[in-house]
Amino acid sequence: MVRIAICDDEAPTRAYLTTLILAQDHPCEIIEYASAGDCLADHREIDLLFLDIALDANRQDGMALARKIREGSWHTQPIIIFVTGYERYVFDAFDVGAFQYLLKPVDEDKFAQVFTRAVAQIEANREKPARTLTLQSAGVSRTVPLDSIYYIESSNHKVILRLKDGEFSCYGKLRDLEATLGDSFCRVHKGYLVNLAYVEGYSKTELTLTNGETLLISKYKYQDFVKAHLRFLKKGAGL
């Protein structure tokens, strides 16, 4: 069973997407929301979210909702598929880890292809345990889900994990964690190891995270960061 949410302020669009979903013949529960506020107010766990960017009078309202979801407003992170008439926002969609971007009017064959891949991803995620990192400090062991880490900072022979629910520090080196964490994290500076899932934007000298924090990018790390970020976005989009 897959729990699917449709967030769109146009009732005909919600009805059409519901028809397309039911035509896929996959067991599911469908929830409809007419606004971003309605969606955020409902605390049910969602596996897959079809989201319009142009909600209400604010064309970026759907994007703001996606950012709140990625910042941890929901207990679980759904796959997000944008369904919208605004093609120019495609790169913004990938910045919030969107799985795919469908343009209105939605083509039935394209929808079926994207839906099949999304469900396959959901089922694969259920089969594998969440990735974690276990560290020790002052004899205390703590296991941290990787998706709860915004970035890791190096300071005075310690590493400091900046988390969604605070921070945790212990003795260690960033280069050791860099080798452990793999390609979902990237060293952008001698003092910072960043979770690529939470990169909202960047210039040649700094990057902004979805929680609003800004970190420096070393000029020696910039090109490697851009390549790593692009690979991460393509992987998330199934490309």
Side-chain angles (χ1 to χ4, degrees), residues 188 202-207 215-219 222 225:
V188 299
Y202 62 87
S203 66
K204 286 190 174 181
T205 58
E206 63 182 26
L207 62 82
L215 304 177
L216 293 176
I217 300 178
S218 165
K219 64 179 180 180
Y222 176 74
F225 162 70

Side-chain angles (χ1 to χ4, degrees), residues 81-96:
I81 297 175
F82 281 107
V83 184
T84 181
Y86 297 95
E87 186 173 6
R88 61 184 177 275
Y89 294 134
V90 60
F91 294 109
D92 292 335
F94 290 139
D95 282 343
V96 293

Side-chain angles (χ1 to χ4, degrees), residues 2-234:
V2 176
R3 179 170 285 175
I4 302 171
I6 302 169
C7 188
D8 195 298
D9 60 327
E10 298 178 350
T13 299
R14 297 197 303 272
Y16 178 60
L17 291 175
T18 296
T19 299
L20 292 179
I21 293 168
L22 294 176
Q24 306 313 308
D25 194 28
H26 190 94
C28 64
E29 175 186 351
I30 302 174
I31 307 165
E32 295 186 14
Y33 303 110
S35 70
D38 290 345
C39 188
L40 282 175
D42 192 343
H43 300 293
R44 283 178 287 184
E45 294 184 4
I46 300 299
D47 298 308
L48 175 58
L49 173 62
F50 290 95
L51 177 60
D52 185 16
I53 290 177
L55 290 170
D56 303 321
N58 187 345
R59 290 186 175 180
Q60 285 282 10
D61 200 32
M63 194 66 68
L65 171 60
R67 290 193 180 99
K68 288 181 180 179
I69 291 172
R70 292 302 184 232
E71 288 167 8
S73 297
W74 286 4
H75 179 66
T76 58
Q77 287 292 320
I79 285 178
I80 297 177
I81 297 175
F82 281 107
V83 184
T84 181
Y86 297 95
E87 186 173 6
R88 61 184 177 275
Y89 294 134
V90 60
F91 294 109
D92 292 335
F94 290 139
D95 282 343
V96 293
F99 183 80
Q100 191 54 270
Y101 189 101
L102 296 174
L103 287 175
K104 297 177 181 178
V106 178
D107 178 79
E108 293 184 22
D109 291 336
K110 179 67 173 179
F111 182 92
Q113 294 171 11
V114 172
F115 183 88
T116 298
R117 288 199 296 110
V119 170
Q121 183 64 60
I122 291 167
E123 293 176 343
N125 290 342
R126 288 174 176 173
E127 291 175 358
K128 62 182 180 181
R131 295 179 62 199
T132 60
L133 176 67
T134 301
L135 299 169
Q136 288 191 341
S137 178
V140 177
S141 178
R142 179 169 178 179
T143 298
V144 179
L146 297 192
D147 63 6
S148 72
I149 305 172
Y150 284 116
Y151 66 97
I152 304 174
E153 182 179 357
S154 175
S155 177
N156 296 324
H157 305 292
K158 286 187 174 184
V159 290
I160 305 171
L161 279 66
R162 305 297 184 181
L163 308 169
K164 291 181 178 179
D165 60 353
E167 64 181 51
F168 178 78
S169 64
C170 65
Y171 287 101
K173 297 179 181 180
L174 278 189
R175 66 170 175 264
D176 294 333
L177 292 179
E178 185 178 7
T180 299
L181 293 173
D183 57 8
S184 59
F185 284 73
C186 180
R187 187 81 170 266
V188 299
H189 186 275
K190 66 179 182 180
Y192 301 120
L193 182 60
V194 173
N195 188 337
L196 294 171
Y198 299 121
V199 174
E200 185 171 86
Y202 62 87
S203 66
K204 286 190 174 181
T205 58
E206 63 182 26
L207 62 82
T208 302
L209 300 175
T210 56
N211 67 348
E213 289 192 65
T214 300
L215 304 177
L216 293 176
I217 300 178
S218 165
K219 64 179 180 180
Y220 303 108
K221 300 287 186 181
Y222 176 74
Q223 292 296 335
D224 288 339
F225 162 70
V226 172
K227 293 176 183 177
H229 188 241
L230 182 58
R231 286 196 301 270
F232 180 82
L233 294 179
K234 287 183 175 179

